[in-house]
Amino acid sequence: MKNDIFSKLDYTLIFIVFLLFCASLIAIHSAPLTPDLEGSHFVLRQFMWYVIGTVVAFGVFILDYERLKALSWIFYAIFLVLLLGLMAAKHGIPVPFAHKSHGAFSWYQLPAVGQIQPSEFMKIVLILLIGRLIVEHQEKWIEKTVKDDFRLLGKIFLVSLPPLGLVLLQPDLGTALVLMAIIASMILVSGIRWRIIFGLLAAGILGIVLLVLDYFYTKLVVNIVLAEHQLERFYGWLDPYKHSNNEGFQLINSLNAVGSGKLYGVGPGNQNISLPESYNDFVFSVICNAFGFVGASLLIALFFLLIYRIIYSAIKTHDPYGAYLCTGITGMLTFTIFQNIGMTIQVMPITGIPLPFISYGGSSLLSNMIAIGIVLSVQAQTRKYMFS
Amino acid sequence: MEEKKKRKKKKNHIPFRLNILFLIIFLAFSALILRLGVVQIVHGEDYERKLEATNKVVTKVESVRGLIRDRNGTLLVGNKAEQAIVFTRKPDQDTQDLLDIAKKLSQYITVSTNKKVPDGALSTEQVTERDKKDFWLALHPDKAKAMLSAKEQNSKKAYNLMLDRITDRDLATLTTADLKVAAIWRKLVTASNLTPTYVKIGLTDKELATVGEHLKEFDGSIDTAVAATRSYPEGEMFFLGNVKEIPRHEVNNYLAEGYNRNDIVGTSNLEQQYENILRGVPTTYTFMTKNGKPVGNPIKEEGRRGDDLVLTIDSRLQKAVGTVIEKNLRKFHSTHANSAYAVIIDPNTGEILAMVGRAFDPSTGKIVDDSSGTVLKAFQIGSSIKGATILTGYQNHAIPGLFDDKPIKFSKDGKPFKSLEAIPTVGPAEALEYSSNVYMGRVVGNMAGFRFYDHGSYYSVQVFNGPRFVHAFNALREGYSQFGLGVSTGIDLPFESIGYEGPLPLDSPGIIMQFAIGQYDTYTPLQMAQYVSTIANGGKRLAPHLLKTVNEPSGDPTQVGPVKYRYEPKILNTIANTKEQIDMVHKGFYLVTQGPHGTARMLGALNAHNRSYKIAGKTGTAQVNTDRGLDNLAFIGYAPYDNPKVAVALIVPETHDNHANLYIAQDIFDVYNKLYPGQLK
């Protein structure tokens, strides 16, 4: 039986994650630290988180995703309450362990465990729940009408909007964007008619265009939707040399670090760059500096392989729920990677989200490892069919 | 079976759409790699250069300032070496660390409580209101925090809010001992990282010894060194100016020019005007940094001491003129002579030889130096303006033929406009000799289109205030400005007064006649000097200047170094008169001292036997306070009359008519003649 479990594991995926683990330790090791952080054993702690993450991923794999599906509403309720708790804390209501950091209420500071970020886990919970909604919807309405499509869309929005709103208000634009990416990718694959999807896309683009126009002419809506510091983030992104605010400054530092890596990099330990959060959000800049274009491209290729492997699992599986889960995870990882790497090279504005599997950070790594556990579990299910 | 088929069909959309998703992902990742290639391969070199620039810290240490000498090479501003405490800020020192250093230092060095202290010394009087607030906040961080709500503490304006909320009562809790610490602390906080900064200059031997013993306590931040401060071997002269800390409101301008926040800079007059020359090139130290911390020894780029200035001033003359003014003020103090100002200038080049002012201080009864009044104070200069009036009259074709000097009446019973004494028939030269007011009145009357009627014993005049009058009024003022009266003289000082301009007198146009005799607008003694020079040199308005040459520092401090730059005479404009017209005024000015009826015969005809040279000039008496009988007594003149080498402008404001102006003028010419023998022949 034990043998059976291990035979169902996808060792290709595990090997990819192992390579990412190695990359993470090297990157964090070579990240220059500000004097106040020297002596914090980030490499050791990341190693520890990877051990914990592996155990949790294995636990999820054993548990089987079908059981997670059954529990999805309960998880949803738990994390929604935790998010509500943070919202209450933001408005001055005392909530135990609620913790403010970097100007946002996104964390619970637990004794012994450390900081926990509920929104990180909400991403997984939302994938579980939306997948379940789609599957149940399609089992109920086999011959779907346009009306049915709208009904499904309505359900998805109904469960997504509360957590999305709460995360946006923390304020944590980065994680909120990841949630949107998850929702969007799952809607795409859910089988909703193209017309509706294009309609949504058009509405989204129109909304952004209107927002930009509003910014230039009246500023009525912009000021409600985006806080001043979020607007500054956009200025800093568009012209960092003119807007030497915090974001502009970070971007210039990041670009200097990335650019001076050139083709082959300066080599780990030879760096002379100053980057706040170099072990965390800006870890990719460190890699670019140390290992150059070659090293950075290899890492991107590795990420691409990882995502390819997950999509491959989604295509292979016979179980639609498994496929939806893999889709959600794909959306989550892709967007997070794109956003994080993009912000270091001025493709995206700067938001505080970490690079999956590489950046130092427990909550993010745990949720990503849970995602890997789910993918492994989906694949095991596929193999079970194959062998049966 | 059919249901299964449908299910199968439903299932089929998933792989297709996943492939679409995969395509999107592929494109997104490709875009990232493309962009990465642009940043790292295409622009890699640029970013590398930028990164290197951020990994450098350049600090500057100001070089020794240039010296200032007078035209004879006499040192006016020097540097003297003094013991000093130097503070070098480390990157990781915060406000509290600096507070600790300041507290310790205050035990070893003295801080004065006097308002006036030598340059570089410390005084509690240097601590400004803002400094006190900053210091109070540093002293009481907890109380400061308590002044803000939780929300405000995170706002960007938190510090400003705290500054606003500090009460006078809070500041009153600062003891004198606290203020002494604050006087040191304010020097420390303005120091830039790694830049050596003087905390106190001019240590006593005891202070030097005490600080030296305790240097170890400061962990390398504090050291002793030798600093230079300005010295004034010939005494302070206003035009030399001051050096001080950069004024707080101008800090950003200076930072932009590469100064450090707490550098000493020229803040007034010549020190400010020629800051760029005197400053020299600072010595720079370039530190390479690793993760924001300096590593290794800095690369030193040696600066260069500032260049020296040689002035046009003759300090012997400056002092001697001071002495003769003081002598005459004492002599005429009983007749209300309270102050006097004189400018001595070379009319052919605009070189200023001396600018002297003296005044009785009413509170002490002593005579004090008020030489800055020569450029900052403005006076009605009375009839001395008449040379300019005549020439402006010529320009406007308003010079009458010979006519009788008789009072001009604006109305039957009103006060007539007349000359001080009855004068016979006059032309322009005689009008200057006699100082005929009526002649000037007639000139500007013609310009303004007034109608004069001869009534035998007097003239009556019909005035108008139409466009012709307005034009005449402006033309008169414009005429005066050709001589520098009422406009900037172009002197090489950062600030000069240009005098007061009276309004256009539309209600009583007859006032233009007062204007024509120097009793309307006011002018500075420097403007008077430019005016008389313009007439003396035949019509060129030259910018008066104090700088003669800029010289490189010489190895021998007693010698002047090689000339680097020479101030060339600068012609601002040429007056619009013919040579004959100007010669007519020269003749008039000559008659003022030499003619049988001249108003300054004392300077010529009456004293011919003991004067080997001839002066030309014009006196002026402006009735500024008729109730108390106080006049401004002015004199402008030059010598020798036919080949002017020197011009003098002087004024004794608000005095009784005691001829103090003539006595002072006579003494000044004599002093000049003694210092420059043979020049005036």
Side-chain angles (χ1 to χ4, degrees):
Chain A
M1 186 67 200
K2 206 181 173 194
N3 217 3
D4 223 354
I5 289 177
F6 284 106
S7 68
K8 285 181 209 154
L9 280 171
D10 175 3
Y11 288 99
T12 312
L13 184 60
I14 291 173
F15 185 64
I16 293 171
V17 174
F18 173 74
L19 288 178
L20 287 171
F21 157 76
C22 296
S24 173
L25 294 193
I26 294 170
I28 292 172
H29 177 74
S30 49
L33 297 180
T34 47
D36 52 313
L37 289 173
E38 270 168 21
S40 348
H41 303 283
F42 285 127
V43 176
L44 203 65
R45 276 151 75 181
Q46 180 77 342
F47 184 84
M48 191 196 76
W49 279 115
Y50 255 105
V51 172
I52 297 172
T54 309
V55 172
V56 170
F58 196 66
V60 170
F61 167 68
I62 302 260
L63 197 65
D64 194 337
Y65 67 92
E66 283 296 339
R67 221 157 315 161
L68 290 177
K69 179 181 168 191
L71 292 169
S72 55
W73 277 111
I74 294 169
F75 286 141
Y76 182 75
I78 291 171
F79 283 99
L80 200 60
V81 167
L82 287 175
L83 286 177
L84 280 169
L86 289 174
M87 198 41 49
K90 190 189 174 193
H91 289 92
I93 302 161
V95 175
F97 307 123
H99 178 73
K100 186 182 181 185
S101 174
H102 294 70
F105 281 91
S106 303
W107 291 267
Y108 284 97
Q109 177 84 43
L110 296 180
V113 183
Q115 290 183 1
I116 294 291
Q117 193 178 352
S119 55
E120 280 290 341
F121 298 100
M122 194 45 145
K123 297 192 289 199
I124 302 289
V125 173
L126 213 55
I127 293 171
L128 292 173
L129 189 59
I130 293 176
R132 177 170 167 174
L133 288 176
I134 299 172
V135 169
E136 284 174 357
H137 180 85
Q138 283 172 348
E139 277 168 3
K140 206 164 165 188
W141 283 279
I142 292 155
E143 198 67 63
K144 282 178 293 184
T145 61
V146 175
K147 199 175 152 197
D148 294 333
D149 276 0
F150 274 115
R151 193 175 283 140
L152 175 59
L153 211 53
K155 283 182 202 167
I156 292 174
F157 283 148
L158 216 56
V159 295
S160 321
L161 286 181
L164 187 62
L166 288 171
V167 172
L168 255 181
L169 289 173
Q170 280 178 352
D172 182 355
L173 186 62
T175 308
L177 287 173
V178 176
L179 291 178
M180 286 185 213
I182 290 170
I183 298 161
S185 58
M186 294 187 80
I187 288 175
L188 174 68
V189 181
S190 70
I192 288 175
R193 281 174 173 75
W194 281 114
R195 290 176 254 170
I196 299 177
I197 289 174
F198 281 128
L200 280 176
L201 198 64
I205 291 170
L206 190 68
I208 290 169
V209 169
L210 285 178
L211 210 60
V212 170
L213 287 178
D214 176 61
Y215 171 75
F216 282 114
Y217 293 106
T218 66
K219 297 205 181 190
L220 284 177
V221 189
V222 169
N223 288 342
I224 298 168
V225 181
L226 293 169
E228 183 56 32
H229 74 270
Q230 284 167 325
L231 278 176
E232 276 177 23
R233 205 175 268 181
F234 281 96
Y235 304 146
W237 171 47
L238 293 170
D239 193 350
Y241 296 97
K242 192 170 161 198
H243 296 275
S244 51
N245 54 21
N246 191 31
E247 275 76 17
F249 178 69
Q250 279 186 320
L251 179 55
I252 289 170
N253 278 339
S254 171
L255 281 173
N256 286 346
V258 172
S260 55
K262 298 199 277 187
L263 191 56
Y264 298 111
V266 299
N270 298 332
Q271 300 136 294
N272 190 6
I273 50 178
S274 67
L275 272 175
E277 308 270 338
S278 59
Y279 57 98
N280 194 342
D281 292 355
F282 281 94
V283 75
F284 187 75
S285 314
V286 175
I287 294 171
C288 288
N289 187 250
F291 302 101
F293 178 73
V294 173
S297 305
L298 274 178
L299 182 62
I300 293 176
L302 199 57
F303 277 126
F304 189 70
L305 276 180
L306 176 79
I307 285 161
Y308 164 74
R309 197 69 198 162
I310 297 171
I311 292 190
Y312 176 78
S313 316
I315 292 172
K316 276 282 166 181
T317 185
H318 304 282
D319 179 20
Y321 184 57
Y324 294 135
L325 291 189
C326 289
T327 306
I329 289 166
T330 302
M332 171 178 95
L333 288 177
T334 307
F335 183 78
T336 315
I337 293 164
F338 185 77
Q339 162 64 35
N340 180 281
I341 292 180
M343 80 181 182
T344 63
I345 51 178
Q346 210 184 358
V347 172
M348 298 291 281
I350 290 178
T351 51
I353 58 175
L355 187 61
F357 300 105
I358 307 292
S359 287
Y360 172 79
S363 288
S364 137
L365 186 61
L366 266 186
S367 71
N368 289 329
M369 288 303 265
I370 291 170
I372 294 297
I374 292 172
V375 174
L376 286 174
S377 162
V378 170
Q379 287 178 331
Q381 197 72 17
T382 316
R383 283 163 202 237
K384 212 156 70 190
Y385 279 119
M386 272 163 52
F387 291 121
S388 60
Chain B
M1 183 67 203
E2 198 175 337
E3 190 172 280
K4 206 171 183 185
K5 202 176 167 191
K6 268 180 190 164
R7 206 167 242 250
K8 182 104 180 146
K9 192 184 154 216
K10 279 294 145 198
K11 171 81 174 66
N12 271 348
H13 72 259
I14 295 182
F16 176 67
R17 295 212 175 177
L18 277 172
N19 277 323
I20 299 224
L21 186 63
F22 191 66
L23 182 70
I24 296 171
I25 292 166
F26 178 76
L27 291 176
F29 276 45
S30 306
L32 285 184
I33 292 190
L34 200 68
R35 169 71 185 157
L36 205 56
V38 170
V39 173
Q40 295 198 287
I41 298 170
V42 181
H43 296 305
E45 307 269 339
D46 296 342
Y47 286 115
E48 195 174 30
R49 227 171 297 127
K50 281 181 192 159
L51 182 67
E52 270 166 20
T54 64
N55 286 329
K56 266 186 214 161
V57 176
V58 180
T59 67
K60 288 187 183 138
V61 178
E62 286 295 311
S63 295
V64 175
R65 269 180 102 75
L67 309 173
I68 304 180
R69 297 173 203 269
D70 82 347
R71 65 188 301 127
N72 307 312
T74 309
L75 190 65
L76 299 185
V77 184
N79 295 310
K80 68 172 181 269
E82 290 191 273
Q83 294 296 334
I85 294 179
V86 178
F87 168 65
T88 308
R89 188 173 185 163
K90 296 179 181 170
D92 52 352
Q93 282 174 324
D94 64 17
T95 335
Q96 289 302 321
D97 296 329
L98 301 185
L99 190 60
D100 290 340
I101 294 175
K103 280 179 184 166
K104 266 189 218 159
L105 268 182
S106 72
Q107 298 165 15
Y108 309 139
I109 57 177
T110 54
V111 177
S112 166
T113 51
N114 295 336
K115 197 154 201 145
K116 195 164 165 63
V117 290
D119 288 347
L122 293 167
S123 164
T124 52
E125 289 291 325
Q126 294 160 345
V127 182
T128 64
E129 189 76 10
R130 171 66 196 262
D131 289 333
K132 283 183 191 171
K133 287 182 173 181
D134 288 331
F135 183 69
W136 191 89
L137 290 175
L139 213 51
H140 307 286
D142 296 332
K143 281 190 200 169
K145 224 174 175 186
M147 292 194 294
L148 301 179
S149 68
K151 201 173 173 186
E152 286 168 342
Q153 281 178 17
N154 291 313
S155 100
K156 278 183 188 167
K157 295 178 191 131
Y159 195 79
N160 286 334
L161 282 173
M162 288 197 278
L163 286 178
D164 288 345
R165 289 181 192 171
I166 298 175
T167 60
D168 289 344
R169 201 189 294 166
D170 289 332
L171 293 185
T173 62
L174 295 174
T175 61
T176 309
D178 285 336
L179 290 180
K180 287 183 175 179
V181 177
I184 300 172
W185 181 78
R186 64 188 282 280
K187 296 268 186 179
L188 305 185
V189 289
T190 51
S192 315
N193 277 347
L194 304 171
T195 307
T197 305
Y198 294 116
V199 179
K200 181 178 178 179
I201 300 174
L203 300 183
T204 62
D205 291 345
K206 198 177 153 226
E207 284 176 318
L208 184 65
T210 322
V211 173
E213 271 169 41
H214 293 90
L215 279 184
K216 259 183 264 152
E217 293 171 22
F218 297 103
D219 198 21
S221 298
I222 294 288
D223 207 345
T224 57
V226 175
T229 57
R230 290 305 231 183
S231 65
Y232 305 93
E234 300 295 313
E236 288 181 22
M237 299 175 189
F238 89 96
F239 44 78
L240 298 174
N242 289 314
V243 291
K244 282 202 169 62
E245 285 175 35
I246 298 171
R248 195 185 267 262
H249 63 277
E250 287 181 39
V251 163
N252 288 337
N253 299 340
Y254 280 94
L255 289 182
E257 285 177 35
Y259 284 85
N260 295 314
R261 199 167 280 276
N262 44 16
D263 280 341
I264 298 294
V265 298
T267 51
S268 62
N269 294 331
L270 289 173
E271 293 267 21
Q272 182 185 354
Q273 181 82 17
Y274 294 114
E275 170 69 22
N276 293 341
I277 294 170
L278 293 167
R279 181 194 182 197
V281 178
T283 298
T284 60
Y285 296 87
T286 307
F287 293 83
M288 298 309 293
T289 61
K290 175 102 184 159
N291 302 335
K293 279 183 172 177
V295 284
N297 288 327
I299 302 161
K300 184 179 177 186
E301 206 167 308
E302 196 68 55
R304 193 171 47 74
R305 162 164 140 13
D307 288 326
D308 297 345
L309 304 185
V310 170
L311 304 187
T312 60
I313 291 286
D314 183 338
S315 61
R316 300 169 306 169
L317 188 66
Q318 176 82 12
K319 277 185 196 163
V321 170
T323 310
V324 304
I325 289 182
E326 282 173 31
K327 183 187 89 186
N328 282 290
L329 280 183
R330 286 209 183 84
K331 187 166 146 195
F332 294 106
H333 193 40
S334 57
T335 48
H336 214 274
N338 283 318
S339 60
Y341 303 89
V343 175
I344 295 101
I345 194 167
D346 180 338
N348 303 306
T349 59
E351 291 181 6
I352 298 171
L353 299 171
M355 320 174 82
V356 188
R358 292 287 188 275
F360 276 98
D361 180 344
S363 58
T364 60
K366 284 187 180 147
I367 296 179
V368 293
D369 191 319
D370 190 26
S371 300
S372 63
T374 53
V375 289
L376 298 180
K377 291 187 174 168
F379 310 97
Q380 290 182 8
I381 62 170
S383 307
S384 23
I385 205 168
K386 284 175 182 167
T389 309
I390 295 282
L391 288 170
T392 306
Y394 275 122
Q395 290 175 18
N396 291 275
H397 314 289
I399 297 296
L402 289 178
F403 82 108
D404 293 338
D405 183 300
K406 290 184 284 196
I408 298 171
K409 285 191 175 175
F410 292 96
S411 62
K412 271 228 166 79
D413 319 311
K415 213 179 135 207
F417 180 83
K418 57 177 186 176
S419 302
L420 286 177
E421 50 185 295
I423 301 165
T425 310
V426 291
E430 292 77 23
L432 290 171
E433 177 188 2
Y434 288 89
S435 197
S436 168
N437 291 344
V438 171
Y439 193 88
M440 304 301 147
R442 195 61 197 264
V443 169
V444 292
N446 289 346
M447 280 169 68
F450 296 170
R451 290 201 190 115
F452 292 88
Y453 305 97
D454 196 338
H455 293 273
S457 63
Y458 66 92
Y459 299 107
S460 72
V461 62
Q462 191 182 0
V463 300
F464 306 97
N465 65 358
R468 188 161 174 201
F469 163 74
V470 173
H471 178 264
F473 193 87
N474 291 334
L476 186 57
R477 194 169 267 157
E478 197 276 325
Y480 288 162
S481 72
Q482 289 181 24
F483 298 86
L485 294 167
V487 292
S488 167
T489 61
I491 190 178
D492 50 350
L493 286 179
F495 183 77
E496 65 169 318
S497 164
I498 59 164
Y500 169 79
E501 269 190 10
L504 185 65
L506 286 176
D507 292 339
S508 44
I511 282 187
I512 193 171
M513 296 191 188
Q514 300 290 340
F515 192 13
I517 60 166
Q519 301 201 116
Y520 198 61
D521 283 356
T522 67
Y523 312 105
T524 64
L526 182 67
Q527 287 174 336
M528 292 164 67
Q530 189 172 40
Y531 151 57
V532 67
S533 297
T534 307
I535 289 181
N537 68 32
K540 298 187 290 283
R541 181 163 80 101
L542 295 168
H545 58 101
L546 289 160
L547 178 71
K548 194 171 168 66
T549 55
V550 174
N551 298 59
E552 278 173 33
S554 73
D556 178 359
T558 59
Q559 294 293 313
V560 183
V563 172
K564 225 176 158 177
Y565 166 82
R566 191 179 296 279
Y567 192 108
E568 296 296 334
K570 205 188 285 170
I571 299 173
L572 300 176
N573 60 269
T574 308
I575 56 170
N577 290 88
T578 63
K579 185 170 182 303
E580 290 69 31
Q581 293 168 344
I582 298 170
D583 282 344
M584 184 63 88
V585 172
H586 286 157
K587 186 182 168 198
F589 278 15
Y590 175 79
L591 292 174
V592 168
T593 62
Q594 310 296 337
H597 303 284
T599 53
R601 272 170 298 162
M602 201 186 108
L603 294 175
L606 296 183
N607 270 323
H609 52 283
N610 54 16
R611 187 162 285 115
S612 58
Y613 54 92
K614 285 184 176 170
I615 303 167
K618 182 75 194 81
T619 58
T621 306
Q623 299 172 319
V624 286
N625 191 334
T626 39
D627 295 344
R628 296 176 60 201
L630 296 181
D631 303 332
N632 290 345
L633 299 185
F635 177 80
I636 52 140
Y638 48 86
Y641 78 98
D642 51 353
N643 178 25
K645 294 281 171 52
V646 64
V648 172
L650 72 93
I651 191 157
V652 185
E654 300 191 35
T655 177
H656 293 306
D657 196 356
N658 47 25
H659 299 299
N661 52 339
L662 296 181
Y663 285 98
I664 293 174
Q666 167 179 275
D667 287 351
I668 288 175
F669 279 110
D670 286 348
V671 161
Y672 181 90
N673 192 37
K674 208 177 280 170
L675 287 175
Y676 296 90
Q679 281 260 340
L680 297 184
K681 274 187 185 149

